[in-house]
Amino acid sequence: MNVTELNKIAVAMVAPAKGILAADESTGTIKKRFDTINTQSVETSRRDYREMLFRTKAAMEENISGVILYDETIRQNAADGTPLVKLIKDAGSIPGIKVDAGAKAIHGFPGETVTEGLDGLRERLAEYHKLGARFAKWRAVIDVGAQQGINGSYAIPTRYSLKANAEALARYASLCQEAGIVPIVEPEVLMDGDHDINRCCEVTHASLYALFGALGEARVALEGVILKPNMVIAGKKSPKQASSEEIAEKTVDCFRACVPAAVPGIVFLSGGQSEIEATENLNTMNAAYKDKMPWALSFSYGRALQTAALQAWQGKPENVAAGSAAFAHRAKMNGLAQLGTWSKELEG
Ligand code: 13P
């Protein structure tokens, strides 16, 4: 597909006041989420839950530009037989699909992974395009290792793992563009560990340099790419947690140094931040730096859009209205954060 068409999709994915709902939890991950509300994860319960989200009209029409689906979901019908993809499209939102096959250990590199799923990807993308997907997602996982040795150097991530993941992301992105699908490239630097915000900053820099080098070499058109990164943030176990202002400043600085202006948008993952933290940090960035950024800055949250909805739903049909209302609220709050006009008082 030509770059103009891809760019049109990418720009729509980061329209003002809108962002992406990551509803692409694998069968294993959604089971973990359902375990927290004592609900069995079976095909129909997964369908009912996602149908509740996709039928939340206010959220889907006003604040959700696109939905990342899992293979099962893109083929599933709502209880009344309507394809779930149609519910998304009817709300004016764009269906997307997770296409990677997960992060797998790299032999000889303990603690590091490379994401697999390139074999047969061309054929799978052609099928997903027929099923309605107009964008895709591939997640690389980059762990920040502990300091080691007498000089306190870091062994992880290695240059090799950054390169291997960047090459896979670039090959995936190229195949997506060939199929008329906008690639979301996601190099996630994990929040696990006790590293401080500066170490996260260094590793995020290194992963983005490797990624944009590889995308350039593969002749991927950046106008038709969306970046999905972590925020620059201290590890969850770090005694030195940064303020929202510091997170915003370091994150925006990092991306201004590493992400070419041709990229239409950056959409963050929430990565284990609480719902309010994820909203607040996005808001701080857009409120303080909108004029300094060449790309739109938005969200592609999984947990930070769904936790309250899942808790309100509890797997029970009588709670669908409450679950839906909780999702609509989070979507609205994040839509405001995209504009930089959110405030804590609006949380109620
Ligand atoms: P979280 O927002 O829950 O981190 O999920 C986003 C996602 O899609 C990670 O790949």
Side-chain angles (χ1 to χ4, degrees):
M1 188 190 268
N2 69 43
V3 180
T4 315
E5 292 297 312
L6 290 166
N7 178 254
K8 232 188 257 173
I9 300 167
V11 167
M13 288 163 69
V14 289
K18 291 190 178 189
I20 290 165
L21 165 65
D24 60 323
E25 297 85 1
S26 62
T27 312
T29 303
I30 197 75
K31 180 184 179 308
K32 274 195 243 159
R33 306 278 187 265
F34 280 15
D35 284 348
T36 67
I37 54 164
N38 296 316
T39 295
Q40 254 207 325
S41 175
V42 291
E43 211 222 311
T44 46
S45 62
R46 294 191 290 267
R47 178 208 58 204
D48 290 346
Y49 173 63
R50 287 166 171 151
E51 180 175 348
M52 171 183 87
L53 300 176
F54 307 159
R55 282 197 192 274
T56 304
K57 235 169 133 33
M60 295 296 295
E61 288 179 358
E62 284 158 42
N63 305 114
I64 302 298
S65 57
V67 182
I68 317 176
L69 301 167
Y70 187 60
D71 182 77
E72 175 185 87
T73 323
I74 201 170
R75 305 170 192 280
Q76 234 168 1
N77 293 336
D80 70 0
T82 314
L84 292 181
V85 165
K86 186 171 184 317
L87 295 184
I88 295 168
K89 284 205 237 170
D90 286 352
S93 191
I94 310 169
I97 181 77
K98 167 200 173 80
V99 300
D100 68 66
K104 305 286 159 65
I106 310 177
H107 179 65
F109 289 77
E112 293 193 286
T113 61
V114 66
T115 299
E116 294 188 349
L118 288 171
D119 286 353
L121 183 56
R122 175 176 277 129
E123 292 72 25
R124 288 198 290 133
L125 286 167
E127 190 199 3
Y128 286 139
H129 190 275
K130 276 199 199 120
L131 290 168
R134 292 297 175 268
F135 69 91
K137 174 187 119 173
W138 178 289
R139 172 173 175 259
V141 181
I142 296 142
D143 199 10
V144 182
Q147 280 182 298
Q148 295 190 331
I150 44 169
N151 62 359
S153 64
Y154 295 89
I156 289 179
T158 59
R159 264 175 69 85
Y160 176 74
S161 76
L162 291 176
K163 215 168 76 177
N165 277 298
E167 296 293 349
L169 276 162
R171 184 72 197 115
Y172 141 82
S174 169
L175 286 164
C176 283
Q177 292 196 332
E178 179 186 59
I181 288 179
V182 168
I184 293 185
V185 289
E186 178 178 3
E188 175 175 2
V189 177
L190 294 177
M191 278 176 78
D192 303 340
D194 61 2
H195 55 279
D196 66 11
I197 188 168
N198 293 326
R199 179 61 186 151
C200 177
C201 191
E202 271 172 19
V203 175
T204 305
H205 254 100
S207 76
L208 292 174
Y209 273 133
L211 173 61
F212 284 99
L215 290 173
E217 278 183 348
R219 300 187 184 165
V220 170
L222 296 183
E223 297 83 351
V225 167
I226 296 288
L227 174 66
K228 175 164 175 168
N230 50 286
M231 293 183 191
V232 172
I233 200 165
K236 266 186 235 156
K237 291 188 226 128
S238 169
K240 274 197 292 179
Q241 291 297 320
S243 65
S244 186
E245 287 69 29
E246 188 180 2
I247 291 167
E249 185 188 352
K250 293 200 162 145
T251 302
V252 171
D253 275 356
C254 175
F255 294 138
R256 276 165 51 87
C258 303
V259 184
V263 173
I266 298 177
V267 294
F268 291 107
L269 57 96
S270 57
Q273 298 180 56
S274 74
E275 289 175 293
I276 305 278
E277 275 168 347
T279 303
E280 180 173 16
N281 291 335
L282 177 64
N283 184 70
T284 308
M285 287 180 223
N286 279 317
Y289 302 105
K290 222 180 198 17
D291 300 342
K292 296 207 175 97
M293 300 188 288
W295 359 258
L297 212 59
S298 190
F299 57 90
S300 173
Y301 294 156
R303 285 161 286 178
L305 271 171
Q306 294 185 51
T307 305
L310 194 65
Q311 289 303 321
W313 176 56
Q314 292 286 323
K316 300 193 172 105
E318 62 270 28
N319 292 338
V320 163
S324 197
F327 172 51
H329 177 69
R330 280 279 37 93
K332 188 169 177 192
M333 293 298 107
N334 285 304
L336 292 173
Q338 199 291 317
L339 298 171
T341 58
W342 171 89
S343 69
K344 245 185 203 141
E345 294 72 59
L346 296 168
E347 288 292 344

